[in-house]
Amino acid sequence: MANLFGLFSTSAFMPHGHCYLWQPSVLWAQVVSDGLIGLAYFAIPFILYRFLKARPDIEFRPLFLLFVAFILLCGGTHFLAVVNVWYPFYYLDSVLKAATAVVSVLAAIRLAFLLPQIIALPSPAALKTANEKLRRLSAEKEKANEERFQLALEASPNAILVADAENRIAFANAQTQHIFGYSQEELLNQPLDVLIPKASRQAHAHHVEGFRQEPQMRFMGAGREVRGLRKSGEEFPAEIALGPFRYAGQLNVIAFVADISGRKSAEDKILRQSSELARSNQDLESFAYAASHDLQEPLRGMLGYLQLLQRQFQKEMAPKAVHYLEQAIASGGRMRTLMEALLQYSRIGRTSQLHPIRLESLLDAIAADLHAALEECGAELRYDNLPTVQYDALELRQVFQNLISNAVKFRTEAPPLIRVAAEKRDDGWVFSVSDNGIGIPEEFHGKLFQLFQRLHSRAAYPGSGIGLALVAKAIRSHGGRIWVESNAAGGTTFYFTFGPDFAITLP
Amino acid sequence: MPFRKRKPSLLLIEDNPADIELVQEWVRERGLDLEIGLAGDSDEAMARLEAHYQDSSGHLPDLIMLDINLPRVSGLDFLKTIKDDLRFCRIPIVMLTSSKAQDDVDRSYSAHANAYVHKGVELDRFFRSLNCIYCLFFETAVLPQN
């Protein structure tokens, strides 16, 4: 404290006024000048403070602080100079000067260090030019973006419309003209209703209201099909997607409209064709059913009378007549077999009832049925690890029974070995029935599943030519596939799949 | 077994002349004493049954043999008509048909047919079937009082 008081000690010094010889002109010039300088120096920090506060972007703030301290201290020395004229606080003055020296040297060093950075600061003019350039570039970019956006909108295969808050058309792309027939200018500011058939307007207004209540993206093909109205007055089926967006504080709606009349008419055509096909199939089946039902009667009559003739008058007939009669009856019998087969064929797929069927149980039953035939030629039927399938029991039985019977029928000298297998492949289950029989030359594979197609003489292998046709129909009528791998060298494998809707489970 | 004072009778509802002839030939060949009424369609058959019913001296047939393939009303529909009619529902009905369709078989029994017999094509087989029907319904089974 003594030192501190020492600072204010004035003893041994004489006031600075003496140096001015108390000449009022010099003295007052000094006093007033120092006072004004001090005031100005004290005012500048406040101004700097206001400046820094207003311009938070200004860098070099520590430097500014040094300047503030330096200016304040300088101000202090000038005020003290005024006081020193009358009271010689030279110790205090010395300390203040020393502090000012330190701070000003620090400020100078700091400034020297920062100089390159300060030089690098752009001048307001350069800044202005740069800003200008930037503005121009960004305007160009914006324009390019807008142009690209515009081109994209125009290139869209869909009509794109923007409706404002009052459901007036604020934008329409070029495709709108192709689809609706109105030019873009014609549509601007028109109510949306001009594009909607009268009958749908109310419903549409309702939809739009609903959309505005709950503005969410609505995608195309969400099962919502609407009708559009062309300038020509023609209506067309359309698909529409909606997206909400806010523009100038208002809810706008962007609508994407696709004209699906082409697709629709193609769909209609396919529907029409498939219903025609279904009908013609139906006709064919009822024809086959009726024909074989109704044709049975006259055939029965013919055979009945022929047999009565044979029974009652054979004794009186010449041997040749007896032979003719026998041939006639045999032919009638064959015709009956064919008609029954045809009847069976026409019934496949007409009355299907799907149940889960354990293939192994089914094959057990078939093996029991065919026991005599299998035994007779020493045939071996192998199957295990077969799944359970959902199918019509009768049809499935016909599939396996026919294939197994064929394998027995078309055997070589060797005892038949018949394998039934099921394999799960990438695209689903494939079933197979394979044998070591006589094989089927490849040129006949295409004809194999045709109705009444026979590859052998009746004498060599009896049959109606309906078995494989029946198998194929039982498979194909439910969407399955059947194919064969075989050649004249021997061995045949029939492969088949069930339709995609048939549940197949492992035992 | 009830005492029969009259000839056993059969109503054959069949529109195929060959089959009618075959049944008649079977009766001749077997030398059966069987009264055969014939009807070519369901209308004729109903008219015959009504006539029998109203004639106090007459009697209803002991057995009906019914074909499925009949003109206009099918044998299956006629079967239902008869079985729904309290006057005639007790008459045993054998479906005698060339149809092997399981559907026809099932529907016949559902409509209370008493038997379903396939005619067969071999004459011998057909006659055997007729013999069996005769044996069951005229010689073995106890029939209702009609």
Side-chain angles (χ1 to χ4, degrees):
Chain A
M1 288 309 266
N3 280 341
L4 192 62
F5 287 118
L7 277 181
F8 291 94
S9 162
T10 54
S11 57
F13 297 120
M14 53 183 174
H16 208 192
H18 285 286
C19 295
Y20 307 136
L21 303 175
W22 302 107
Q23 286 274 333
S25 56
V26 176
L27 186 143
W28 287 111
Q30 291 288 332
V31 167
V32 170
S33 297
D34 276 330
L36 283 175
I37 291 170
L39 271 177
Y41 279 13
F42 269 62
I44 286 172
F46 290 104
I47 295 165
L48 278 178
Y49 170 77
R50 292 286 305 272
F51 169 70
L52 286 176
K53 187 145 188 195
R55 289 285 302 274
D57 58 304
I58 294 291
E59 293 174 77
F60 312 114
R61 277 168 190 263
L63 182 66
F64 275 95
L65 279 180
L66 278 173
F67 274 126
V68 165
F70 158 61
I71 293 168
L72 277 176
L73 286 168
C74 283
T77 57
H78 283 281
F79 279 131
L80 204 56
V82 173
V83 176
N84 283 346
V85 173
W86 289 281
Y87 307 99
F89 293 131
Y90 293 153
Y91 290 115
L92 180 64
D93 192 36
S94 304
V95 170
L96 201 57
K97 278 233 171 88
T100 306
V102 168
V103 171
S104 57
V105 166
L106 280 178
I109 292 170
R110 182 84 185 154
L111 187 62
F113 271 107
L114 288 178
L115 190 62
Q117 289 183 48
I118 294 169
I119 289 171
L121 280 179
S123 73
L127 213 58
K128 203 176 159 192
T129 318
N131 272 343
E132 198 59 44
K133 199 173 167 192
L134 207 62
R135 196 157 34 238
R136 209 169 51 243
L137 268 177
S138 102
E140 266 168 28
K141 198 161 180 189
E142 197 173 316
K143 201 174 154 222
N145 268 346
E146 197 175 311
E147 201 174 329
R148 180 189 288 173
F149 182 64
Q150 190 79 18
L151 283 172
L153 284 182
E154 298 301 347
S156 158
N158 297 334
I160 299 177
L161 294 148
V162 172
D164 64 16
E166 277 86 46
N167 287 331
R168 289 185 179 277
I169 296 166
F171 170 84
N173 71 345
Q175 192 60 21
T176 310
Q177 182 166 4
H178 291 130
I179 292 182
F180 286 95
Y182 293 99
S183 72
Q184 285 159 289
E185 293 73 32
E186 277 177 302
L187 283 177
L188 279 183
N189 291 320
Q190 291 296 311
L192 265 184
D193 273 356
V194 300
L195 305 178
I196 297 155
K198 266 204 178 71
S200 316
R201 277 177 199 169
Q202 205 172 349
H204 182 263
H206 186 74
H207 276 308
V208 170
E209 195 47 45
F211 180 76
R212 286 187 185 281
Q213 297 284 328
E214 202 184 323
Q216 274 176 1
M217 189 66 127
R218 295 192 187 178
F219 295 99
M220 281 202 182
R224 220 165 78 78
E225 195 188 299
V226 295
R227 297 195 68 78
L229 179 66
R230 299 193 219 275
K231 191 180 182 182
S232 63
E234 186 198 349
E235 290 184 26
F236 65 95
E239 237 179 32
I240 189 161
L242 298 175
F245 68 96
R246 292 213 160 261
Y247 179 73
Q250 288 192 318
L251 182 63
N252 280 222
V253 179
I254 185 163
F256 301 82
V257 184
D259 179 351
I260 58 168
S261 48
R263 194 171 88 199
K264 203 73 194 152
S265 75
E267 267 174 24
D268 286 350
K269 196 173 164 196
I270 288 170
L271 269 179
R272 210 166 47 244
Q273 278 175 347
S274 79
S275 90
E276 267 166 25
L277 193 67
R279 205 182 52 242
S280 100
N281 273 343
Q282 185 67 39
D283 284 353
L284 202 66
E285 299 214 335
S286 32
F287 168 77
Y289 184 81
S292 41
H293 242 100
D294 297 342
L295 290 178
Q296 293 272 18
E297 291 292 323
L299 182 64
R300 273 187 52 72
M302 195 181 86
L303 280 169
Y305 282 119
L306 286 174
Q307 286 174 95
L308 275 179
L309 193 64
Q310 191 182 37
R311 200 179 178 95
Q312 289 174 21
F313 300 101
Q314 195 168 12
K315 291 188 197 96
E316 300 155 38
M317 283 183 187
K320 211 168 187 178
V322 171
H323 175 67
Y324 290 161
L325 199 53
E326 279 168 359
Q327 287 304 308
I329 291 171
S331 289
R334 272 204 301 283
M335 173 138 183
R336 192 182 57 88
T337 311
L338 289 181
M339 287 197 317
E340 273 185 1
L342 193 61
L343 190 61
Q344 213 179 9
Y345 180 79
S346 76
R347 250 188 239 129
I348 294 267
R350 275 161 54 103
T351 55
S352 305
Q353 289 183 326
L354 306 180
H355 299 289
I357 297 162
R358 282 194 56 225
L359 281 186
E360 290 188 23
S361 312
L362 177 71
L363 284 163
D364 288 346
I366 291 172
D369 268 9
L370 298 178
H371 180 74
L374 292 170
E375 184 108 310
E376 193 192 324
C377 55
E380 191 185 345
L381 177 59
R382 280 191 205 161
Y383 52 91
D384 57 18
N385 240 347
L386 295 176
T388 293
V389 296
Q390 188 86 7
Y391 223 75
D392 180 272
L394 204 69
E395 289 173 10
L396 199 60
R397 191 188 178 96
Q398 279 182 331
V399 168
F400 284 102
Q401 186 150 353
N402 273 298
L403 291 177
I404 293 168
S405 301
N406 276 355
V408 172
K409 193 200 258 179
F410 300 104
R411 61 177 182 262
T412 59
E413 296 293 310
L417 174 59
I418 306 156
R419 281 201 200 89
V420 179
E423 185 194 343
K424 187 158 171 45
R425 297 188 185 171
D426 288 345
D427 52 347
W429 283 87
V430 175
F431 297 83
S432 63
V433 176
S434 56
D435 65 43
N436 56 347
I438 58 174
I440 306 163
E442 280 178 27
E443 65 256 43
F444 297 122
H445 288 188
K447 288 178 156 188
L448 212 51
F449 300 109
Q450 287 173 14
L451 193 58
F452 297 135
Q453 184 63 52
R454 297 170 43 80
L455 304 180
H456 303 277
S457 75
R458 197 171 290 110
Y461 294 98
S464 62
I466 203 142
L468 282 179
L470 219 116
V471 169
K473 197 179 172 198
I475 297 287
R476 289 171 182 162
S477 67
H478 298 299
R481 290 190 309 121
I482 182 163
W483 67 99
V484 67
E485 274 174 21
S486 180
N487 55 55
T492 301
T493 304
F494 283 95
Y495 293 96
F496 53 95
T497 63
F498 294 127
D501 301 333
F502 293 90
I504 297 176
T505 45
L506 274 170
Chain B
M1 197 160 166
F3 173 65
R4 276 186 208 280
K5 55 187 174 201
R6 52 175 174 79
K7 265 209 232 185
S9 68
L10 167 74
L11 175 60
L12 177 64
I13 308 172
E14 171 66 73
D15 78 321
N16 188 345
D19 282 322
I20 297 169
E21 188 112 18
L22 288 177
V23 172
Q24 285 170 334
E25 177 57 29
W26 163 72
V27 172
R28 261 199 301 279
E29 208 180 276
R30 284 279 315 263
L32 296 173
D33 191 17
L34 186 64
E35 187 187 313
I36 300 182
L38 293 175
D41 59 39
S42 57
D43 289 348
E44 242 179 83
M46 189 48 98
R48 269 188 161 278
L49 289 173
E50 300 261 6
H52 283 308
Y53 189 75
Q54 276 154 20
D55 180 359
S56 54
S57 66
H59 59 88
L60 292 173
D62 295 303
L63 180 71
I64 293 174
M65 287 187 182
L66 177 58
D67 190 13
I68 285 185
N69 293 325
L70 290 175
R72 294 183 294 279
V73 179
S74 85
L76 278 170
D77 289 335
F78 187 64
L79 171 67
K80 283 178 203 145
T81 310
I82 297 288
K83 290 297 184 186
D84 282 345
D85 191 323
L86 288 175
R87 296 170 301 172
F88 309 126
C89 62
R90 284 176 298 178
I91 307 172
I93 298 182
V94 173
M95 305 305 288
L96 190 63
T97 171
S98 55
S99 168
K100 277 183 174 173
Q102 191 60 41
D103 209 31
D104 286 339
V105 179
D106 295 347
R107 278 155 68 190
S108 295
Y109 283 109
S110 296
H112 309 294
N114 299 79
Y116 188 102
V117 177
H118 185 242
K119 282 173 183 167
V121 175
E122 310 279 308
L123 197 55
D124 286 339
R125 230 202 97 186
F126 185 44
F127 280 12
R128 263 206 311 282
S129 300
L130 292 173
N131 283 339
C132 289
I133 293 168
Y134 185 84
C135 175
L136 177 63
F137 286 96
F138 292 100
E139 293 177 346
T140 314
V142 180
L143 297 180
Q145 191 72 49
N146 277 317

